[in-house]
Amino acid sequence: MSEEKFHSALVPAQGVWWRPVGAQEKRWIQISFVWCMLMFAMMPLWHWKGGQNPSGIRGRVVPKDYRQRTERFIQDYKVGEEKGIPVVAPPAGADIYVEASMWMWRPILHLKQGTTYVLHLSSFDINHGFSLYPMNINFQVVPGYDYGLKVTPNQAGDMRIICNEFCGVGHHIMTGKILVEK
Amino acid sequence: MSMRTCPVTGLKVCPDAEALVRWHAVTAVVHFLIGVSAAILLVLTRWQAVHLLPSDWYYRILTAHGLNMLIFFIIFFEMAVLHFAGPILLNCRQPAAKLGWLAYVLMLIGACTTNGFVFAGKADVLFTSYVPLKAHPAYYLGIILFAVGALLDTSLFFAALVKAKKEKTYTGSVPLVTYGALTAAIIAVITLIHGAMVYVPTFLWSLGLMQMDPEVYRMVWWALGHSSQQINVAAHVACWYLLAGLTVGGVVLNEKVSRGAFFLYVLFISMASAHHLLVDPGVGPAWKVWNTSYAMYLAVLASMVHGFTVPAGIETGQRLRGFNQGRFQWLTKAPWGDPGFAALWVSLVIFGFGGGITGVVIGTEQINIIAHNTLRIPGHFHMTVVGGTALCFMGVTYYLLPLIFRRRVAFYKLAQIQPYVFGAGISLMGIAMTYAGSFGVPRRHWDISFTQAPFGVQFPTTVDLFMAAMAMGGLLAFLGGISYCLIAVVSVFFRPALSDDDLKRGGPGLPPGVVRLPSQTHTAEASEAAHRQGNPGTVVLVGVFFVCFILYYFTNWKILSLLWKVG
């Protein structure tokens, strides 16, 4: 170390600069490395032990077919209508289809707290964003792709779906509704 | 034309390289001015108490803001940095200067075309232009021209490295700043190739000549969109080292470590396209986990290493200048009135504590569920790319003005406070956005009062408070940003050129590092003493940083665990 001369980063490095690392610098690199590995391990660990993962059942779907599935789902479990949008109360374990299109979420859902469903999300036209308020659960909704997520509501309430992916001039009026009962 | 010798640094400066630096930098500032003007309109619209713009203009101006800041301003400036770190730092002539001008013209035509069509309302697709949202074909064509120009500039930087090596215009290995710029250039090539891969097909698609898949578009577009932010990271870290050297004689503690960290960037940092697809249906968990973590966080490791070596290099530099008492005299006696140093330090703090920590956290696969497309995202990247990169480049500007433009810094008193005003504004805005976003407030949204929506959403009143804080921060940052434009433009166009004697003589408007450049090399004895002393101050700083990191990281896991079960 003794023949080493400090210089700034503007000066070309002379001779062999592959030298031993100072003690503090070395310790910081070690700590950082361990932290990085820990953060990496957290993600698989959460898949194994944690309850919130964006895995889902993913597949391609033709938007017209997805619309048909949504309509059939609405027919099967429709219980009413609000502001021209059907209200649907599916049974426990059912496949739920929600379709995003410019600029609405269809249908309105009545769910039960503590019950598990498979929530399918897709778009009829362009990208949309599923953002559940006030839970703050967010997923991307992409046309041509079916995102089937197993969900278990753990809180009752009158919730909203906000579109949080820009989808044209009507983007800010695109809200939907999910009602979770006890 | 013969090369001049810089009276401050002793470097031989090629007039062609100098002219290219000047024009790229000035054009960058012009685009910054467009971007910052757009920013104030956006802030005053999202602050619902004012709600300035109508909805169509909000989205139009948002498109322009993203493009001008993230692509045109930043990349023009980075091309200036490449022309500086190549031929000028290596004492060689600018190779193929004419191609440099061709690159510049291509970039300018591209930027003007795209901007023209955006402001004409032909491309209300936002910066990301997610297919199948469609803009006028000329919009895509403009970006393609810009990217080709930037690619050409980048190859000239590589040519300069080869030329300097061949002509032996320097001895030893290239300076660390040039090495960092080289990393940025390599990442730029990767990025721009992805840009071509996405914009050429999209251009053809807009003409009706081919099909595009929305998910594939998202993946490839973000290999441009996110990787271009990684050019910024590499470039501004290089500029941190540059400013540290110029302002306080900051040293390179260990070339192996700093270069190794830059090399990790080259290897891993371009995988970050995944950050935008974490809650997408197109890709699976293994792909998400591997890519979002840049292969086990090795690029994060690189940033954490620079987060130590940059302040530690400053500490050692200051200690070598005699500010040697206690843990922190090197900081208390730092040149806080030097706009270059102020920008460097504030940028370092905002990037590390604000942008860095939030970025790693929201880029965690599962935590992204509570962050995706909320205001947390722009909160994060305004603290990386604006508080980090843009502010660092502002600091560089205060040294480029006297050294390359050969002008005094106009309104020097204003320049001295500008980094603080801008930094405080961006921090306040970024933090407020981050908090508002954690309530689920969406980004890119004209009306979060949802007055016309079929089902109303009533955010808690705390959100109003955070949105007001965001607006205050935005206004402050706007003042800082517009001051920067004013200083740069007035200095370049309305101040007389300086002679070598003027520079040496000093006087108002010259940063201290220009008047008296701190020693860039040190004797073996002094180095040995400084080395034995180590960096007791920096150790405390990184300790505080690490504790903040851990707390923020696990707080977010805790919040996530309270949600519905999703899987």
Side-chain angles (χ1 to χ4, degrees):
Chain A
M1 221 50 220
S2 55
E3 75 275 30
E4 170 145 17
K5 293 184 204 164
F6 277 134
H7 60 261
S8 83
L10 280 78
V11 179
Q14 301 302 322
V16 179
W17 43 259
W18 193 268
R19 291 173 184 283
V21 184
Q24 290 168 334
E25 213 176 352
K26 196 170 194 170
R27 181 53 51 85
W28 174 248
I29 296 171
Q30 287 164 343
I31 292 172
S32 302
F33 183 77
V34 170
W35 174 240
C36 288
M37 292 306 118
L38 196 134
M39 288 197 298
F40 181 71
M42 274 303 285
M43 291 187 284
L45 200 68
W46 202 264
H47 274 283
W48 182 36
K49 288 282 182 190
Q52 296 78 19
N53 289 291
S55 320
I57 307 152
R58 305 169 314 276
R60 283 183 190 268
V61 66
V62 177
K64 259 193 293 187
D65 294 347
Y66 189 83
R67 172 155 283 187
Q68 267 178 10
R69 283 180 218 173
T70 312
E71 289 309 321
R72 202 179 315 134
F73 164 67
I74 292 170
Q75 256 173 27
D76 288 352
Y77 305 117
K78 186 171 171 180
V79 292
E81 206 161 280
E82 194 180 334
K83 299 191 175 169
I85 299 168
V87 180
V88 176
D95 279 286
I96 306 173
Y97 293 87
V98 171
E99 187 202 64
S101 60
M102 290 154 104
W103 293 284
M104 63 154 75
W105 296 95
R106 226 172 107 87
I108 295 167
L109 299 173
H110 274 201
L111 306 180
K112 286 231 158 54
Q113 188 185 336
T115 308
T116 301
Y117 308 87
V118 180
L119 171 64
H120 291 263
L121 297 170
S122 192
S123 163
F124 187 66
D125 36 47
I126 59 178
N127 273 273
H128 296 280
F130 175 93
S131 178
L132 188 67
Y133 181 80
M135 298 309 296
N136 194 20
I137 296 175
N138 305 281
F139 288 100
Q140 186 77 17
V141 184
V142 183
Y145 289 82
D146 177 359
Y147 207 170
L149 295 152
K150 204 186 264 186
V151 297
T152 316
N154 62 354
Q155 259 178 320
D158 184 5
M159 305 190 182
R160 295 286 178 270
I161 309 170
I162 299 170
C163 180
N164 70 4
E165 185 59 80
F166 173 68
C167 58
V169 285
H171 171 49
H172 49 270
I173 63 162
M174 184 167 163
T175 58
K177 184 171 166 177
I178 295 181
L179 198 70
V180 181
E181 289 159 340
K182 276 218 183 298
Chain B
M1 269 193 291
S2 64
M3 289 164 80
R4 72 174 177 93
T5 304
C6 174
V8 176
T9 58
L11 291 166
K12 288 205 197 75
V13 182
C14 166
D16 287 329
E18 191 167 50
L20 283 168
V21 173
R22 287 181 183 178
W23 279 94
H24 281 85
V26 164
T27 316
V29 173
V30 171
H31 285 96
F32 182 85
L33 184 61
I34 301 172
V36 85
S37 311
I40 192 66
L41 300 174
L42 298 176
V43 162
L44 291 177
T45 305
R46 289 228 58 169
W47 186 20
Q48 302 260 162
V50 180
H51 213 216
L52 184 69
L53 296 175
S55 63
D56 54 344
W57 273 98
Y58 168 76
Y59 296 121
R60 195 163 299 152
I61 295 293
L62 188 53
T63 310
H65 175 66
L67 275 167
N68 282 285
M69 289 306 209
L70 286 173
I71 296 283
F72 303 148
F73 154 61
I74 289 260
I75 294 185
F76 263 121
F77 202 97
E78 275 155 358
M79 294 307 133
V81 169
L82 288 188
H83 287 298
F84 175 78
I88 295 182
L89 278 186
L90 297 180
N91 287 309
C92 82
R93 284 191 173 279
Q94 172 70 45
K98 283 198 176 113
L99 285 181
W101 291 111
L102 175 65
Y104 172 80
V105 170
L106 279 175
M107 288 169 74
L108 189 63
I109 293 174
C112 290
T113 308
T114 299
N115 263 333
F117 279 83
V118 168
F119 285 112
K122 303 282 185 202
D124 294 338
V125 289
L126 300 196
F127 174 49
T128 44
S129 58
Y130 288 135
V131 162
L133 269 182
K134 198 180 279 183
H136 190 285
Y139 169 88
Y140 307 109
L141 194 62
I143 299 175
I144 293 168
L145 287 179
F146 184 88
V148 170
L151 207 50
L152 193 54
D153 262 334
T154 312
S155 38
L156 289 182
F157 170 74
F158 295 130
L161 291 186
V162 174
K163 188 178 165 74
K165 180 101 190 159
K166 218 167 143 186
E167 295 174 1
K168 298 197 171 60
T169 58
Y170 66 98
T171 53
S173 308
V174 293
L176 183 60
V177 174
T178 306
Y179 189 88
L182 172 60
T183 348
I186 294 171
I187 298 170
V189 172
I190 300 170
T191 301
L192 293 167
I193 288 172
H194 282 103
M197 275 167 61
V198 74
Y199 276 109
V200 172
T202 307
F203 171 63
L204 297 175
W205 165 80
S206 71
L207 293 170
L209 297 175
M210 68 178 279
Q211 300 279 312
M212 288 290 279
D213 181 278
E215 188 69 76
V216 172
Y217 176 92
R218 277 171 62 73
M219 184 186 285
V220 185
W221 192 88
W222 279 113
L224 162 78
H226 204 107
S227 302
S228 67
Q229 309 321 309
Q230 318 295 20
I231 315 173
N232 302 342
V233 174
H236 85 228
V237 173
C239 288
W240 282 344
Y241 284 111
L242 172 72
L243 282 172
L246 288 173
T247 57
V248 296
V251 302
V252 183
L253 284 188
N254 186 306
E255 293 277 358
K256 175 172 77 174
V257 170
S258 294
R259 285 171 200 240
F262 274 122
F263 190 59
L264 285 177
Y265 279 159
V266 174
L267 291 183
F268 299 114
I269 210 165
S270 299
M271 300 163 78
S273 151
H275 289 186
H276 303 266
L277 277 69
L278 291 176
V279 293
D280 267 45
V283 282
W287 186 91
K288 288 174 180 175
V289 168
W290 179 253
N291 285 283
T292 195
S293 67
Y294 310 99
M296 319 222 290
Y297 289 108
L298 293 178
V300 173
L301 178 68
S303 287
M304 287 178 80
V305 169
H306 290 305
F308 181 91
T309 57
V310 173
I314 293 170
E315 176 174 1
T316 300
Q318 282 281 77
R319 287 184 187 277
L320 283 163
R321 295 169 86 204
F323 302 111
N324 207 5
Q325 274 164 30
R327 271 182 195 271
F328 288 115
Q329 196 200 27
W330 61 278
L331 258 192
T332 54
K333 295 281 184 194
W336 298 108
D338 175 347
F341 183 82
L344 155 66
W345 192 264
V346 177
S347 151
L348 186 65
V349 170
I350 297 177
F351 184 82
F353 282 84
I357 292 179
T358 56
V360 174
V361 171
I362 61 183
T364 304
E365 188 203 10
Q366 293 91 345
I367 294 174
N368 195 252
I369 295 173
I370 55 173
H372 180 72
N373 274 355
T374 68
L375 265 187
R376 287 182 76 173
I377 307 299
H380 149 72
F381 69 69
H382 280 87
M383 292 189 283
T384 54
V385 77
V386 191
T389 309
L391 183 49
C392 175
F393 287 175
M394 289 169 178
V396 172
T397 308
Y398 296 129
Y399 273 77
L400 285 184
L401 286 174
L403 294 179
I404 297 294
F405 289 89
R406 327 246 316 140
R407 298 288 192 281
R408 288 183 196 281
V409 178
F411 313 116
Y412 190 68
K413 287 234 162 67
L414 181 64
Q416 286 179 301
I417 59 164
Q418 187 273 337
Y420 299 106
V421 174
F422 190 71
I426 283 297
S427 304
L428 178 60
M429 189 179 88
I431 293 167
M433 283 170 130
T434 299
Y435 277 104
S438 57
F439 287 90
V441 176
R443 68 185 288 200
R444 298 175 153 185
H445 202 283
W446 178 65
D447 180 22
I448 57 160
S449 68
F450 294 97
T451 37
Q452 295 152 22
F455 306 104
V457 178
Q458 184 64 56
F459 285 110
T461 44
T462 1
V463 165
D464 296 335
L465 195 71
F466 286 127
M467 296 306 276
M470 177 199 80
M472 296 304 116
L475 285 169
L476 207 55
F478 172 74
L479 288 179
I482 215 80
S483 309
Y484 166 72
C485 294
L486 186 74
I487 292 163
V489 170
V490 171
S491 307
V492 171
F493 295 107
F494 300 100
R495 288 288 185 269
L498 294 172
S499 67
D500 287 359
D501 285 341
D502 292 333
L503 272 178
K504 277 190 217 148
R505 228 178 289 129
L510 293 178
V514 171
V515 181
R516 215 169 140 249
L517 184 72
S519 183
Q520 302 290 304
T521 51
H522 300 276
T523 62
E525 297 79 58
S527 304
E528 176 68 31
H531 182 77
R532 248 183 282 121
Q533 206 159 21
N535 299 284
T538 301
V539 167
V540 174
L541 298 181
V542 295
V544 173
F545 166 80
F546 193 50
V547 170
C548 293
F549 200 164
I550 293 173
L551 285 177
Y552 192 69
Y553 183 71
F554 285 110
T555 306
N556 274 276
W557 280 111
K558 178 68 194 162
I559 294 169
L560 180 74
S561 73
L562 302 174
L563 295 187
W564 292 15
K565 290 260 189 299
V566 180

